[in-house]
Amino acid sequence: MRNVAKFLMVAGLIACPMMASALDFGVIDAAQVFNKYNETQKTKSMLESKKASLQNDLEKKKAEVKKLDDEYVKLAKETQDLRDKKKDVSANEKKLTELRKTLATKQGELQKFFETSQKDLYALEEKEMGALSKNLDAKVDGVIEKIAKNYKLKAVFEKRSVYWQDPAACKDITDEVIKSLNGGK
C-alpha cells in the first residue's frame, strides 16, 4: 500500500508539470482572420464595385454590337428579298459593306475592352489584396504577440500547419485577434 501511494505521488509530480503546460501553445486561423478583418471586407467591396462597373460597361458595349448585328441581318434580308425580286441592290450592298466594317471594328473593340478590363481588374485585385495582406501581416504579428504574452503562451501556430492538436492543449486566439484588429480591443 505504501509503495502504491509513493508511486501515485511520483506519477502526480511527473504529470503536474505536463498538465501545467497544457496551454503553453496557441493556434490561430489565419484565413478566418483575413476574411473577417474589416479592411478585407472594404477592399473586397471596392473590388466588387469596380467589377460591377466594368461588367455594366461590357454589357452596354455588347448591346451596341448586338444592335449593329441586328441591323446588319435585317439589311441583309432586305437585300436578298430585293435580289429575289430582281431589283437594284447596289445601295443596300454599299450599306452592308459599311455595316460589316463597323461591326467588325466594334467587335474588335469589345474584345479588346473585355481583355483589358480583365487584365486591369486582376492587376487591381493583386495590388489591393497584396497591400492589404502585407499591412495585415504587420498588424497581426503585434496583436498575436500581445495576446500570447497575456496568456503566457510559448508559441502560436497557424491552424493549417498543425496536423492534429488536442483542443484542450492549445489556446485558440483567432477571435481575440480579429476583435483586436477590428478595433474591439
Side-chain angles (χ1 to χ4, degrees), residues 60-74:
K60 286 178 184 176
K61 291 183 183 300
K62 281 182 179 179
E64 289 175 19
V65 169
K66 178 155 179 22
K67 183 179 175 185
L68 274 174
D69 189 52
D70 291 346
E71 188 179 332
Y72 178 81
V73 169
K74 181 181 175 186

Side-chain angles (χ1 to χ4, degrees), residues 118-179:
Q118 289 299 310
K119 182 181 172 188
D120 291 349
L121 189 60
Y122 289 136
L124 179 64
E125 184 175 4
E126 189 174 305
K127 176 186 164 217
E128 292 295 325
M129 293 307 250
L132 176 67
S133 182
K134 186 177 179 180
N135 183 22
L136 182 60
D137 284 346
K139 286 183 177 182
V140 166
D141 289 347
V143 170
I144 290 173
E145 181 179 353
K146 181 180 170 187
I147 293 170
K149 284 181 178 178
N150 185 44
Y151 286 110
K152 296 179 174 86
L153 301 175
K154 292 185 175 154
V156 176
F157 300 98
E158 209 292 311
K159 276 186 175 180
R160 291 179 293 174
S161 64
V162 177
Y163 289 109
W164 180 85
Q165 70 180 23
D166 179 352
C170 294
K171 173 75 175 155
D172 187 336
I173 62 172
T174 303
D175 291 336
E176 291 173 72
V177 170
I178 293 167
K179 184 178 178 184

Side-chain angles (χ1 to χ4, degrees), residues 28-165:
I28 184 169
D29 185 337
Q32 188 177 357
V33 169
F34 186 78
N35 288 329
K36 291 186 176 181
Y37 181 43
N38 288 344
E39 292 301 315
T40 301
Q41 300 306 317
K42 288 178 190 174
T43 301
K44 284 182 178 181
S45 178
M46 180 273 296
L47 290 170
E48 286 300 317
S49 175
K50 181 70 174 169
K51 182 179 177 183
S53 175
L54 288 172
Q55 185 65 36
N56 188 36
D57 292 347
L58 181 64
E59 293 303 320
K60 286 178 184 176
K61 291 183 183 300
K62 281 182 179 179
E64 289 175 19
V65 169
K66 178 155 179 22
K67 183 179 175 185
L68 274 174
D69 189 52
D70 291 346
E71 188 179 332
Y72 178 81
V73 169
K74 181 181 175 186
L75 187 58
K77 285 180 183 178
E78 281 179 25
T79 304
Q80 187 58 46
D81 288 344
L82 289 174
R83 273 194 193 108
D84 291 344
K85 295 177 183 174
K86 308 281 187 211
K87 295 192 177 186
D88 182 31
V89 293
S90 58
N92 280 18
E93 285 180 341
K94 185 177 179 184
K95 287 180 186 177
L96 278 173
T97 302
E98 290 173 16
L99 269 176
R100 193 172 24 250
K101 287 179 184 176
T102 304
L103 188 56
T105 301
K106 290 290 185 182
Q107 286 173 330
E109 289 172 359
L110 176 63
Q111 183 64 32
K112 185 175 181 171
F113 175 80
F114 176 76
E115 290 169 1
T116 302
S117 64
Q118 289 299 310
K119 182 181 172 188
D120 291 349
L121 189 60
Y122 289 136
L124 179 64
E125 184 175 4
E126 189 174 305
K127 176 186 164 217
E128 292 295 325
M129 293 307 250
L132 176 67
S133 182
K134 186 177 179 180
N135 183 22
L136 182 60
D137 284 346
K139 286 183 177 182
V140 166
D141 289 347
V143 170
I144 290 173
E145 181 179 353
K146 181 180 170 187
I147 293 170
K149 284 181 178 178
N150 185 44
Y151 286 110
K152 296 179 174 86
L153 301 175
K154 292 185 175 154
V156 176
F157 300 98
E158 209 292 311
K159 276 186 175 180
R160 291 179 293 174
S161 64
V162 177
Y163 289 109
W164 180 85
Q165 70 180 23

